Amino acid sequence: MEKDIYTVVSVNMHKILEFQAVVLAAGRGSRLPDVGGAVSKCLLPVGPYPVLWYSLNLLEKIGFQEVLVLVLDEDKSNILSALEKCPLKIKYDLIVIPSDEDWGTANSLKHISNRISTDLLVLSGDLITNINLNDVLNVHRKYDAALTTLFFNNGPEEWIELPGPKTKAKPDRDLVCIDKETQRLVFLASASDFEETVTIPRVLVKKYDAISMYSRLLDAHVYVMKHWVLNYLVDSDKFTSVKGELIPHIVKKQLSKSKNSLEKKGTSEKNVDITKDIFDYATESGYESKIREMTAYSDHKLGSKGIFYNDLLRCYAHIPDKNTFGIRVNTLSSFYLSNNKILSKWEELIGSPLSERFHPNSEVKTKQIDESSTVGDKSIISEKTSIKNTFIGANCRVENKVRLTNCILMNNVTIREGCTLQDTVVYTGATVDTGCSLQHCLVGPHHLVASSTSSNHQLHAETTDNMITLG
């Protein structure tokens, strides 16, 4: 048994040397309701732990021992405090970015470029999935890719009746084209960029025999990229977003060829040499091209082109089996749905059962609490309560004759006697006074819901309508 353990460790050490892991966790959650206040998206509770824990645990499971985590300056202390209470062995280095700067994800990567010396694995801090990330890394290795991406194909989003005012907001969708034979990611764009007609570059039809177009894939925001891609990102200084700008740019550039020296000319206003293009960064050092000339391997059957169509710049997409669980907690619906599913998926996600649904410092007096509920640190649940599929944060108090069904209670929440809450999210520090009946409601931070309030699909918050974004 000991031999097996040591074998796994040595293999994982090799992976750590090959890739550095970065988790982007500085998002404010622009598609989540502003009614949630200043809570960082990565600290939203999903089951017993904050969202960020799931990304770090995912890396730890495949053997990463260190990870760089990008966070907002103002969130660092709260994130450190939250992670210290979570079971983690991976060493995380929280790197702050200025809270007062409107930085995109590409700016964040440029910020840490001097700390990256290998190929890079970039994860979003809002990802929850049971995938083995080695599957993505192996696609990157197999094709010696410049860029490898991960998409989930779980079919249509599950319909779920959301708390808060009803909204007709539609989720953003990507148009993704993948060559069936080679797994090449050959086209990527936002569906919102097109009105009625989608125009595909003619060269794609000529080059690839069969292309699959998807419009309902979920971009996991997991990107494996060559180190030179980061160098290009820094030197070009023209991208602010990884997903919205850098990735589509690289995918599109696959269809181009490097310009010769006569076609390149000039310097920028700052006298920076701009004769280099992306292909100058994608140069191969060593014997890669010689090896490809000698190999009998081919990634495609038709045509006389060499391996990888002789392309120097190559992007690939990994789409796991439809049974793979993957969700990004970046909207109210995904936040709510992830909490509904998390305990039923726990062993599948984490690899071991959840040992403590109730924190050791909590006081749970009721026997009417089901196996789909969790209770956080120093929370007190009175004896005469009924709790089903509900997640209760730290320092909460639930009084007698309370019924909670499919609810999320964040930290420092008080539910007074005689209340009935169903499909309701109660944010940090809020109080629901005696005798209230709330169904599909949102209660904002530190808000007091007056006693005997009865409401359905309502927002109760210290805010104004124009500050609220629901999605």
Side-chain angles (χ1 to χ4, degrees):
M1 188 68 182
E2 290 181 354
K3 288 183 179 178
D4 291 340
I5 294 173
Y6 291 130
T7 301
V8 170
V9 171
S10 84
V11 170
N12 286 339
M13 283 298 291
H14 174 69
K15 293 171 187 168
I16 294 165
L17 294 173
E18 190 181 356
F19 298 99
Q20 284 176 266
V22 174
V23 173
L24 303 177
R28 270 277 169 247
S30 59
R31 283 173 286 183
L32 283 155
D34 288 346
V35 67
V39 177
S40 173
K41 180 174 65 169
C42 70
L43 289 181
L44 287 172
V46 175
Y49 304 122
V51 171
L52 178 58
W53 178 81
Y54 294 90
S55 295
L56 300 182
N57 181 70
L58 189 65
L59 291 168
E60 184 180 294
K61 277 169 60 179
I62 67 165
F64 277 94
Q65 295 177 345
E66 296 181 354
V67 57
L68 302 176
V69 185
L70 286 159
V71 302
L72 287 177
D73 190 9
E74 63 187 36
D75 291 336
K76 183 177 180 179
S77 60
N78 289 335
I79 292 172
L80 273 175
S81 177
L83 291 180
E84 284 171 0
K85 300 171 185 175
C86 298
L88 276 175
K89 295 178 182 177
I90 192 170
K91 180 183 176 183
Y92 46 88
D93 187 355
L94 301 190
I95 300 173
V96 299
I97 64 174
S99 299
D100 55 351
E101 296 281 349
D102 188 21
W103 279 15
T105 47
N107 301 109
S108 298
L109 283 185
K110 285 189 280 188
H111 182 60
I112 58 162
S113 59
N114 62 342
R115 300 188 60 167
I116 306 298
S117 57
T118 67
D119 287 356
L120 192 58
L121 171 61
V122 181
L123 274 76
S124 175
D126 59 14
L127 176 66
I128 301 178
T129 179
N130 61 354
I131 193 176
N132 184 340
L133 284 177
N134 274 319
D135 294 343
V136 187
L137 298 179
N138 285 338
V139 170
H140 191 76
R141 295 181 179 112
K142 177 181 178 180
Y143 297 112
D144 192 25
L147 172 73
T148 305
T149 59
L150 171 65
F151 293 92
F152 296 115
N153 187 16
N154 298 328
E157 296 87 354
E158 293 188 43
W159 187 88
I160 186 167
E161 192 173 1
L162 297 175
K166 294 187 177 181
T167 176
K168 294 182 179 179
K170 294 182 179 179
D172 294 334
R173 293 195 188 282
D174 294 313
L175 295 178
V176 181
C177 290
I178 297 171
D179 175 43
K180 282 186 176 182
E181 192 177 15
T182 63
Q183 286 185 271
R184 287 278 291 268
L185 173 61
V186 296
F187 183 82
L188 178 64
S190 172
S192 61
D193 293 341
F194 304 92
E195 293 184 4
E196 294 181 356
T197 305
V198 178
T199 303
I200 302 296
R202 184 180 299 174
V203 66
L204 289 184
V205 182
K206 288 183 176 181
K207 188 169 185 175
Y208 301 104
D209 185 50
I211 298 173
S212 298
M213 175 179 276
Y214 301 87
S215 64
R216 301 184 76 87
L217 294 180
L218 173 66
D219 189 338
H221 284 220
V222 171
Y223 308 116
V224 192
M225 56 182 72
K226 291 276 194 184
H227 184 250
W228 66 255
V229 173
L230 186 59
N231 293 337
Y232 173 67
L233 171 67
V234 172
D235 291 350
S236 61
D237 198 27
K238 62 181 179 181
F239 304 103
T240 58
S241 165
V242 173
K243 163 62 196 296
E245 297 174 12
L246 177 65
I247 304 300
H249 175 76
I250 297 174
V251 171
K252 186 177 181 179
K253 279 290 184 178
Q254 290 178 106
L255 305 177
S256 306
K257 296 296 180 184
S258 178
K259 294 180 180 179
N260 61 44
S261 57
L262 295 176
E263 294 174 303
K264 302 176 184 178
K265 56 183 178 180
T267 58
S268 69
E269 293 177 2
K270 299 179 181 178
N271 291 320
V272 176
D273 180 13
I274 57 173
T275 61
K276 294 178 72 175
D277 63 18
I278 192 170
F279 294 96
D280 293 308
Y281 291 84
T283 54
E284 295 176 330
S285 58
Y287 298 98
E288 294 98 331
S289 58
K290 292 292 183 184
I291 291 170
R292 283 205 293 274
E293 289 174 11
M294 297 169 66
T295 184
Y297 170 78
S298 177
D299 63 329
H300 59 283
K301 297 174 184 175
L302 299 175
S304 58
K305 290 283 187 181
I307 182 175
F308 306 136
Y309 291 98
N310 295 331
D311 290 337
L312 193 60
L313 186 59
R314 301 180 299 278
C315 303
Y316 291 84
H318 177 62
I319 304 177
D321 184 270
K322 283 191 175 185
N323 294 324
T324 302
F325 180 78
I327 195 167
R328 289 189 57 231
V329 186
N330 61 346
T331 63
L332 178 60
S333 56
S334 60
F335 172 49
Y336 197 58
L337 186 61
S338 60
N339 271 291
N340 274 340
K341 284 183 168 288
I342 195 70
L343 288 193
S344 66
K345 297 280 186 181
W346 190 264
E347 285 196 52
E348 196 179 319
L349 284 164
I350 309 305
S352 59
L354 180 61
S355 55
E356 291 181 335
R357 291 188 298 111
F358 307 150
H359 194 281
N361 296 334
S362 64
E363 194 175 337
V364 181
K365 300 176 183 177
T366 182
K367 293 183 179 179
Q368 297 186 62
I369 182 168
D370 70 1
E371 294 183 354
S372 299
S373 300
T374 63
V375 180
D377 186 18
K378 297 178 182 176
S379 288
I380 300 172
I381 313 299
S382 299
E383 184 177 4
K384 297 177 181 179
T385 56
S386 173
I387 300 174
K388 296 179 181 178
N389 198 35
T390 291
F391 299 91
I392 299 171
N395 301 303
C396 294
R397 184 177 184 88
V398 180
E399 297 185 352
N400 284 318
K401 298 180 181 178
V402 166
R403 284 186 297 163
L404 302 176
T405 306
N406 300 332
C407 294
I408 301 171
L409 274 55
M410 297 196 189
N411 298 338
N412 305 303
V413 167
T414 300
I415 310 296
R416 300 288 188 197
E417 186 171 330
C419 290
T420 300
L421 276 64
Q422 179 181 334
D423 298 288
T424 292
V425 177
V426 185
Y427 283 88
T428 301
T431 298
V432 181
D433 215 339
T434 55
C436 289
S437 176
L438 307 181
Q439 291 187 351
H440 294 99
C441 290
L442 288 172
V443 181
H446 311 290
H447 182 78
L448 171 64
V449 180
S451 61
S452 302
T453 296
S454 179
S455 64
N456 192 326
H457 280 289
Q458 295 296 314
L459 172 68
H460 302 273
E462 308 292 336
T463 185
T464 57
D465 289 342
N466 63 2
M467 290 174 60
I468 300 159
T469 306
L470 297 176

